Amino acid sequence: MTPVNLRVRGLSKSFGGVRALDGVDLTVPMGQVHALLGHNGAGKSTLIKCLGGAFPPDAGTIEVGGTSYTRLSPRESIDAGVAIIFQTLSVVDALSVTENIFLGQEWTRYGRIDRRAQEEVAAGLLERVAASCSPRDRVGELPMGQRQLVEIAKALSRSAAVLVLDEPTAALSTAESAALAERVEDLRTQGLAIVYVTHLLSEVERLADAVTVLRDGRVTHRSVGAGQTRRELVEAIAGRPTRAPQVTQVTGGVPAQVPGSGGGADESAACEGGAGGSAASGGGAGGSAASGGGRVSGRTTAEPPASTAASGAPAHPSGRPRLTVDGLHGPGFGPVSLTVAEGERVGLFGLIGSGRTRILESLYGARRAVGGTVSVGDRTVTPARPAEALAAGIALVPADRRRQGLFPLLGAQDNALLPSVRHLARAGIRARGAEHRVFGALAEAVGLRPARPRLPAAAFSGGNQQKLVLGRWIHEARSVDVLLLDEPTQGVDVGARQEIYEVVTALAADRGTAVLFASSDPEEVVALADRCLIVAEGRIAGELSGPGLTEEALLSAIHDAEPAPDPGTQHTASAPAPSPASASAEGAA
Amino acid sequence: MTAADSVLTRPRLVASGGLTTLRRQPLIVVLGVMVAAFQLSTGSFLDPANLRGIATDAATLAIVAVPSALLVISGYLDLSVGSTLALGGLVGGWLAGQGQSPVVAVLGALAAGAAVGAVNGVLCCYFGLSAFIVTLGMLTAVRGLAQQLFPLPLSGFGTGFAWLGGARIAGLAAPVVVAALVLAAGALFLALTPAGRHVFAIGVNREAAHLSGIDVRRTPFALFVITGVAAALAGAIKASVLDSVVAGTSGSGFELAVLTAVLVGGVALTGGSGSILGVLLGVLFLGCLQNGLTLLDVPTFWQQMAQGSALVAGAALAYFAPRAAR
């Protein structure tokens, strides 16, 4: 019997009445890669954070290397040998690779940092993870894949026995992903217990020795060895049996047909972007679904009420373009051309750093575009500032709610109505009666709970905070023509996510609002989009719509859309905007 | 929406029930206790003549503290007001001494203050420089400019100019009336105008405000200009009251008194919260403290220690007191 390195038993954690984890068991022995699957909000992050000591669990035990804990502090977690590599890396850009590895545990000699000894050890660690960077490189200048390896090297330097990787390939190119997979296999043979969080079933097949699937905080599937099929996993993730006839193993070029998915009327619109070469393989609506070989239709895994509601009436009957973007380009993105019709919901799907956020921000005037035009209806607007975009009827719900969206200290009403106070005012004096009325209607429309206008926004749950930010642009005093959403349900619980989808869907259907949203979650794209554009390297690299718009097709499309590894472009592509958050930090600077 | 829900958007000055106000402004209790203690120990603290003296002294502080507080709420601050006050007094006094009409003299002073405020505003709001650094630099630079322009003390401004500091309007000294108007304007601005709400939004989260289409530069810029104007007005009032100005010493340390009043009054240095009622209380607190200690013949150094300790105590109170809903 191999000694068990990580054993979680009966772990439970609630947030304000919502059970994020409900009696979760997880056992990962040494030398095992254990895949952890589940939709956003299924409890994966909560589980990881309990392991890392960020949250104390309500019940259950965490056993690491033979010692059992009912709760861990971050320090205890590190000392016990748990290392967590989060999607948003915690390396310090301004420091060198060596300084990062030894941060907080510097080696000193006569009271001074022993630089040479540190660099020697760092070089050894970098070799162990097969990183190509030098110990003296500044981390901020490295591509994402290398930064991740630096963080793994840092974990190894603290003699980590349990390595948790949180969607490690989400921000990586295909080549980097393949390299990472090899590293993970190396680390497995070195005896680490590895928890590998992912959305990608192909990674599970390639790497995992065992699989645990979470759904709504419970374990819905557990298997060891290669016994599980994709269908079993998809069912466990989705929480309901997939209907057999729709789950077709595709071996040729015909995508799985799914009834009630809005028809393929706009497939002719395919691939409008100026992407060429390898990008074309991701284009062409249905075809790409099959381009990756045997695929399971993921359509049935996520058919929320939202899309069912929309399928009653055609989502965009008129086909009249409401938003037209022509050749928009700027630093790190474009040229981008696209149209969104009245009442149409279009997704922008791509990896982190692919340029989705840059495209949305430049459409909104929050980031300066160098050239190209943006039109609303027949009017060319090309906003240079958010205020101009809003005047033209374009609004953005930004990705980083805390930093870019919310006024945490201010009350709910202020949060939702601040941009509109001036519109409601009469003769320069605020119309408080009207403000109350509009807020009341808005709170009901988005399902705000609690609907208390004075409660500070910081006191609301993530989902209700998002409803406040979204509510800004969809109340009676402020109805926009084009709604841009960046990661519309990031940090939003499952229930609120569904409500937000319903609000957005209703908005498009009832008021003809053109919706353009960026997402890195294939489930979300399938749930919310009529049509999806694949974004890679700041350009539109393909399009999926109709029955071809499935989770699996999306995932294979982004990997197909990645160009052949080219150190030069790879570097420039990832360096300026490693994540939406830091990308906009530069914009604000 | 119930009546209770509407309190948020009501002007803070006339806010809700007394208990809520007390919970938000514990300074009221402190002020009351302090006034009672001074009255008991001096016996003359509450005499009308003394109260008038306190009001007149506090008036210039209040005139500058109101726009300064608005700046702090919007996430900026102005440390240059002490020197701007000196420049305003000098320009106004000089013009009056040259035989210009008092109106021209005051307008000249205000123009000088507006110029200083505009420089601060452009550098901080449009060029995005740190307000702390810019206004700290301006504090020194404007003091130097004032001394260069007016190396000799000025005095003898004439009866017309003396009206500004000495006139009585309905039994109140003119500076007190001006201060009352400034306080009322500040409170109404925050409560009634869209820009008043924007000030909070910019202070809480400037980027979110920008992305909400709020002009995050114009409003703070205007506040810098208004703060400069207010400081110059306070300088003209002081010059009028004293009938003399000295470039090297006038208003020295005033910027710290203003900031102390603003912060003791519960305005958060991090921006996004505060009220004009709090500023009024902060100004009165400092005014009463100084006056009472002077009546008790407490040496100046001890008075300074008391003022400084009050600021720290106020910060501690704000930190430890349970955070009231905002």
Side-chain angles (χ1 to χ4, degrees):
Chain A
M1 188 78 204
T2 25
V4 168
N5 255 345
L6 175 68
R7 177 173 290 169
V8 172
R9 281 207 196 105
L11 207 67
S12 295
K13 175 76 188 170
S14 299
F15 294 103
V18 180
R19 285 225 131 179
L21 286 179
D22 193 356
V24 169
D25 296 332
L26 178 71
T27 304
V28 189
M30 284 174 72
Q32 185 186 75
V33 176
H34 196 118
L36 186 59
L37 294 169
H39 281 320
N40 289 344
K44 293 172 304 187
S45 324
T46 312
L47 175 57
I48 294 176
K49 285 182 177 160
C50 286
L51 291 179
F55 305 141
D58 298 335
T61 57
I62 299 167
E63 195 183 310
V64 188
T67 317
S68 189
Y69 301 87
T70 51
R71 56 185 295 173
L72 282 162
S73 73
R75 191 72 242 173
E76 285 169 337
S77 169
I78 292 170
D79 291 344
V82 179
I84 301 178
I85 314 295
F86 285 104
Q87 239 183 88
T88 44
L89 300 175
S90 53
V91 284
V92 181
D93 286 357
L95 299 182
S96 76
V97 170
T98 306
E99 286 164 339
N100 264 287
I101 290 175
F102 285 92
L103 196 61
Q105 46 167 12
E106 287 81 2
W107 288 10
T108 53
R109 211 178 136 100
Y110 310 124
R112 291 175 52 209
I113 288 181
D114 191 346
R115 205 173 279 270
R116 189 176 304 166
Q118 282 194 357
E119 278 175 8
E120 267 171 35
V121 174
L125 289 166
L126 291 176
E127 202 172 320
R128 202 170 146 200
V129 297
S132 62
C133 58
S134 130
R136 294 189 181 188
D137 286 346
R138 262 167 64 116
V139 165
E141 291 162 4
L142 297 174
M144 284 312 281
Q146 292 294 316
R147 293 186 205 192
Q148 203 167 45
L149 292 177
V150 170
E151 190 141 335
I152 294 174
K154 180 175 167 183
L156 294 179
S157 80
R158 297 176 181 213
S159 41
V162 178
L163 184 65
V164 182
L165 297 165
D166 184 12
E167 291 189 43
T169 54
L172 300 187
S173 67
T174 315
E176 286 176 324
S177 300
L180 180 76
E182 285 175 25
R183 296 294 76 71
V184 170
E185 285 172 337
D186 287 352
L187 294 169
R188 167 169 56 196
T189 55
Q190 291 171 22
L192 268 72
I194 299 171
V195 178
Y196 194 103
V197 180
T198 184
H199 277 301
L200 306 176
L201 296 183
S202 55
E203 290 187 345
V204 175
E205 285 163 354
R206 157 106 204 252
L207 291 169
D209 305 311
V211 182
T212 294
V213 179
L214 290 181
R215 177 168 178 86
D216 298 338
R218 288 198 193 86
V219 174
T220 55
H221 174 95
R222 187 182 293 126
S223 60
V224 179
Q228 79 284 351
T229 64
R230 287 197 165 200
R231 173 149 169 228
E232 281 169 359
L233 292 179
V234 167
E235 282 180 12
I237 294 169
R240 67 181 93 83
T242 49
R243 281 160 287 175
Q246 277 107 47
V247 183
T248 318
Q249 288 288 343
V250 183
T251 46
V254 187
Q257 288 297 323
V258 180
S261 56
D266 36 66
E267 283 182 27
S268 58
C271 203
E272 293 162 300
S278 63
S281 68
S288 64
S291 61
R295 298 286 178 196
V296 178
S297 166
R299 182 74 192 190
T300 45
T301 64
E303 211 162 36
S307 68
T308 322
S311 65
H316 35 99
S318 69
R320 264 187 308 170
R322 174 66 66 88
L323 171 72
T324 309
V325 180
D326 191 15
L328 195 71
H329 62 98
F333 75 95
V336 170
S337 299
L338 57 88
T339 58
V340 183
E342 240 176 59
E344 192 183 25
R345 291 160 285 142
V346 175
L348 290 174
F349 181 68
L351 298 169
I352 292 171
S354 61
R356 299 163 313 186
T357 295
R358 271 168 280 176
I359 293 171
L360 288 187
E361 285 182 347
S362 57
L363 279 176
Y364 187 55
R367 174 183 291 273
R368 194 60 75 110
V370 176
T373 59
V374 177
S375 311
V376 177
D378 300 329
R379 272 187 323 128
T380 301
V381 288
T382 322
R385 287 181 299 122
E388 286 177 28
L390 288 166
I394 304 175
L396 170 72
V397 175
D400 190 341
R401 186 165 55 237
R402 245 161 215 292
R403 233 167 43 72
Q404 302 176 297
L406 212 62
F407 304 105
L409 285 177
L410 303 184
Q413 180 175 323
D414 272 352
N415 266 277
L417 290 188
L418 262 171
S420 312
V421 170
R422 202 181 287 280
H423 299 72
L424 290 165
R426 297 174 140 234
I429 302 296
R430 287 170 56 205
R432 291 216 216 83
E435 287 178 20
H436 284 157
R437 194 170 40 73
V438 170
F439 177 78
L442 176 158
E444 193 173 331
V446 298
L448 184 73
R449 279 180 302 274
R452 286 170 54 192
R454 292 179 58 201
L455 192 66
F460 284 85
S461 70
N464 283 293
Q465 290 177 348
Q466 187 71 351
K467 290 176 191 169
L468 284 175
V469 179
L470 174 64
R472 258 177 216 166
W473 311 121
I474 60 172
H475 53 80
E476 58 181 285
R478 198 63 171 273
S479 181
V480 296
D481 296 323
V482 177
L483 185 61
L484 311 174
L485 303 155
D486 197 355
E487 298 285 3
T489 60
Q490 200 168 63
V492 167
D493 59 280
V494 183
R497 183 174 307 158
Q498 211 52 258
E499 290 176 295
I500 287 170
Y501 292 159
E502 281 163 25
V503 167
V504 171
T505 306
L507 194 69
D510 303 343
R511 296 198 204 157
T513 309
V515 176
L516 181 65
F517 70 97
S519 181
S520 55
D521 178 3
E523 183 198 9
E524 174 160 283
V525 172
V526 172
L528 195 53
D530 297 314
R531 185 158 71 85
C532 180
L533 305 171
I534 309 299
V535 183
E537 305 276 303
R539 294 195 181 84
I540 309 292
E543 174 171 325
L544 293 171
S545 63
L549 182 55
T550 65
E551 290 184 42
E552 288 293 308
L554 286 166
L555 291 172
S556 64
I558 48 169
H559 287 286
D560 293 344
E562 281 293 314
D566 172 348
T569 57
Q570 215 78 310
H571 190 92
T572 50
S574 51
S579 71
S582 64
S584 30
E586 281 166 22
Chain B
M1 296 312 107
T2 65
D5 285 334
S6 68
V7 174
L8 170 81
T9 48
R10 263 193 234 157
R12 291 265 154 80
L13 257 179
V14 294
S16 56
L19 268 180
T20 320
T21 313
L22 273 185
R23 207 182 55 207
R24 277 206 194 117
Q25 300 291 355
L27 193 56
I28 291 177
V29 180
V30 178
L31 191 62
V33 170
M34 192 176 76
V35 167
F38 280 141
Q39 173 61 21
L40 288 176
S41 51
T42 64
S44 59
F45 185 79
L46 288 176
D47 287 358
N50 193 46
L51 290 182
R52 271 201 297 273
I54 294 174
T56 312
D57 286 345
T60 45
L61 195 58
I63 289 168
V64 184
V66 168
S68 291
L70 298 180
L71 264 182
V72 174
I73 292 173
S74 65
Y76 295 85
L77 88 170
D78 188 348
L79 293 172
S80 68
V81 289
S83 299
T84 312
L85 181 142
L87 186 68
L90 289 161
V91 170
W94 179 74
L95 286 171
Q98 296 292 308
Q100 297 286 351
S101 85
V103 175
V104 172
V106 171
L107 287 179
L110 301 190
V116 174
V119 172
N120 284 334
V122 166
L123 293 177
C124 298
C125 305
Y126 287 92
F127 288 93
L129 301 182
S130 150
F132 186 92
I133 293 171
V134 167
T135 61
L136 186 64
M138 288 294 280
L139 176 68
T140 310
V142 171
R143 177 71 64 186
L145 176 72
Q147 286 176 300
Q148 176 65 37
L149 290 176
F150 305 101
L152 301 175
L154 301 181
S155 60
F157 304 137
T159 50
F161 193 69
W163 185 90
L164 182 61
R168 303 224 149 256
I169 301 164
L172 294 168
V176 177
V177 174
V178 173
L181 290 175
V182 170
L183 282 161
L188 294 176
F189 168 76
L190 279 188
L192 293 183
T193 68
R197 293 323 280 169
H198 295 171
V199 165
F200 283 98
I202 295 166
V204 171
N205 191 341
R206 191 169 183 276
E207 185 170 359
H210 174 62
L211 290 175
S212 302
I214 292 171
D215 193 326
V216 293
R217 297 184 291 197
R218 196 174 52 195
T219 306
F221 172 79
L223 290 176
F224 269 112
V225 174
I226 292 168
T227 304
V229 168
L233 177 62
I237 288 172
K238 282 204 162 178
S240 162
V241 170
L242 300 171
D243 200 30
S244 76
V245 208
V246 183
T249 57
S250 168
S252 113
F254 185 73
E255 62 284 337
L256 296 181
V258 169
L259 206 56
T260 305
V262 167
L263 298 181
V264 167
V267 177
L269 193 56
T270 43
S273 83
S275 70
I276 297 300
L277 174 61
V279 174
L280 172 63
L281 292 172
V283 167
L284 288 179
F285 177 82
L286 283 193
C288 290
L289 185 67
Q290 200 173 5
N291 181 280
L293 294 178
T294 308
L295 284 184
L296 289 172
D297 281 331
V298 174
T300 319
F301 298 141
W302 285 107
Q303 292 193 21
Q304 287 182 347
M305 286 184 61
Q307 273 190 27
S309 307
L311 176 60
V312 178
L317 190 71
Y319 183 80
F320 291 112
R323 301 198 69 155
R326 185 155 289 287

